[in-house]
Amino acid sequence: MADNNSLVGGGFSLRQINDRVIIVQILVMIFLCINLLLIITFFKKECFYTTARYILFAVTLLSDSLLLFVSDILFIFAYFHFTLQVWMCIIISVVVLLYLTVTPVTLTAMTLERHVAICMPLRHGELSSTRSTMHCILIIHGLSSVPCIVVLFTFFASASLSFYKQNRICSVEMFILYRWQDHIRSAVHQFYFLIMCIIIVFSYVKIMKVAKAASGDDKKSTRKGLRTVALHGFQLLLCLIQFWRPFIETTVLQIDFRLFNEVRYFNYVMFNLAPRCLSPLIYGLRDETFFHVLKMYVSRRNI
């Protein structure tokens, strides 16, 4: 009888599927289905794809869905010890490296949009037009590509040509060959973390000042914007903690390998999966207009 840990074919290791793998697959399927439903709802009404905050919301849904799908494939590959050639892993990892940053940068842009809407209402129409939002999306992807370019550039500068033909378990950590590469990557991530935190705090303080000065319906609208910014801040914090994961996991790995596996699984669920389910909660369910259209679409589908 074959050993469950024996290699089969092209570097594929047969292992018994445990509860953790099943839990991850169920969570990913649920989140992808919810995101797909919200993306379909986004295209059901013209005001959604002509309004800045809904367009940015759709960007987070698309980026989160793509990241969930690709990272889940890498999770399964790693669990079953399925190896890929390094050059193929680079292509896949570009998507992960890019869209790990797209969501927090987009959340920061959404926070600035709420800041402009509440603190500078007269300029909101100009700054939040469809054309300006499209330019904003390009800027978001440009800024998000910087950490990816840094990681790949340092990797290309360090790896030998023979390394690209090797078969390895595909992961982002594979591109860190030397300690100095990890320091550069960490410095870039910490810089992004600092800038995003400053923007979130700045927007929250400014909106809070407007909330104190407002009255009646304006006060109610401002408080709702304040809660939205606070939720963005919480979601952004979860997304940005993933930048600290290498520090945590490297430290734990030096202590105990079994503990390392426990921590890595926890980090994946808590800081990869959890932040990706908060976007539907914040905008898909809290926004009255979007929720109304979503409810109508679901009820029609059930008829």
Side-chain angles (χ1 to χ4, degrees):
M1 190 170 180
D3 183 6
N4 283 341
N5 292 323
S6 62
L7 292 178
V8 178
F12 189 82
S13 175
L14 290 178
R15 293 179 63 188
Q16 185 177 0
I17 298 177
N18 61 23
D19 293 342
R20 292 184 174 185
V21 178
I22 295 173
I23 290 171
V24 168
Q25 299 315 303
I26 291 173
L27 289 174
V28 169
M29 287 178 62
I30 291 173
F31 296 158
L32 285 177
C33 289
I34 292 174
N35 285 359
L36 179 62
L37 179 61
L38 294 175
I39 290 169
I40 293 172
T41 304
F42 170 78
F43 289 102
K44 288 296 179 180
K45 197 167 184 178
E46 185 180 355
C47 71
F48 293 152
Y49 47 87
T50 56
T51 305
R53 69 177 184 270
Y54 293 120
I55 296 173
L56 293 175
F57 170 53
V59 170
T60 63
L61 289 174
L62 289 169
S63 64
D64 286 349
S65 299
L66 183 59
L67 181 60
L68 280 173
F69 179 73
V70 176
S71 63
D72 186 50
I73 291 176
L74 294 181
F75 175 82
I76 294 172
F77 281 4
Y79 182 81
F80 288 106
H81 296 171
F82 185 80
T83 59
L84 296 172
Q85 284 197 336
V86 171
W87 65 267
M88 189 180 297
C89 182
I90 291 173
I91 297 173
I92 298 173
S93 297
V94 165
V95 177
V96 176
L97 288 168
L98 175 62
Y99 285 98
L100 273 174
T101 314
V102 164
T103 293
V105 174
T106 306
L107 286 170
T108 306
M110 293 171 76
T111 299
L112 286 174
E113 187 274 333
R114 287 294 83 200
H115 169 256
V116 172
I118 294 170
C119 300
M120 295 181 285
L122 296 179
R123 298 196 60 191
H124 183 250
E126 175 189 351
L127 296 175
S128 300
S129 64
T130 305
R131 184 175 181 180
S132 298
T133 306
M134 293 299 108
H135 291 161
C136 180
I137 292 172
L138 292 177
I139 293 171
I140 286 170
H141 282 76
L143 291 173
S144 301
S145 66
V146 173
C148 175
I149 292 171
V150 169
V151 170
L152 293 179
F153 181 78
T154 56
F155 171 72
F156 293 148
S158 305
S160 62
L161 291 176
S162 60
F163 186 80
Y164 297 99
K165 297 180 181 180
Q166 294 181 16
N167 287 328
R168 299 229 172 175
I169 294 176
C170 188
S171 69
V172 175
E173 287 73 23
M174 186 191 69
F175 300 109
I176 307 299
L177 302 178
Y178 300 101
R179 196 66 178 266
W180 64 267
Q181 293 173 287
D182 194 27
H183 292 328
I184 292 176
R185 180 182 67 167
S186 300
V188 173
H189 285 162
Q190 298 312 312
F191 175 75
Y192 271 59
F193 177 84
L194 178 63
I195 296 299
M196 292 177 194
C197 286
I198 290 173
I199 291 173
I200 289 285
V201 173
F202 171 79
S203 300
Y204 188 85
V205 170
K206 287 289 185 180
I207 294 174
M208 190 163 57
K209 288 181 179 179
V210 174
K212 289 181 179 179
S215 60
D217 293 336
D218 289 338
K219 197 175 188 70
K220 183 179 179 182
S221 176
T222 306
R223 284 180 175 175
K224 185 177 180 181
L226 200 63
R227 289 195 297 270
T228 300
V229 171
L231 286 170
H232 281 329
F234 176 69
Q235 185 183 12
L236 188 61
L237 178 63
L238 289 178
C239 289
L240 293 176
I241 287 176
Q242 70 193 358
F243 293 156
W244 298 343
R245 283 180 59 187
F247 294 110
I248 300 170
E249 292 174 3
T250 302
T251 303
V252 174
L253 180 59
Q254 295 173 356
I255 299 172
D256 183 69
F257 184 74
R258 290 185 64 183
L259 181 61
F260 166 76
N261 286 329
E262 298 285 337
V263 171
R264 195 169 194 184
Y265 175 78
F266 174 81
N267 286 342
Y268 178 74
V269 173
M270 190 65 187
F271 304 122
N272 272 51
L273 296 185
R276 270 78 202 174
C277 74
L278 287 176
S279 286
L281 177 64
I282 292 173
Y283 260 96
L285 302 181
R286 288 185 69 250
D287 188 277
E288 294 178 4
T289 305
F290 198 93
F291 181 71
H292 178 68
V293 175
L294 174 63
K295 189 176 179 181
M296 287 181 59
Y297 175 71
V298 173
S299 61
R300 286 177 182 175
R301 295 285 296 177
N302 290 331
I303 294 176

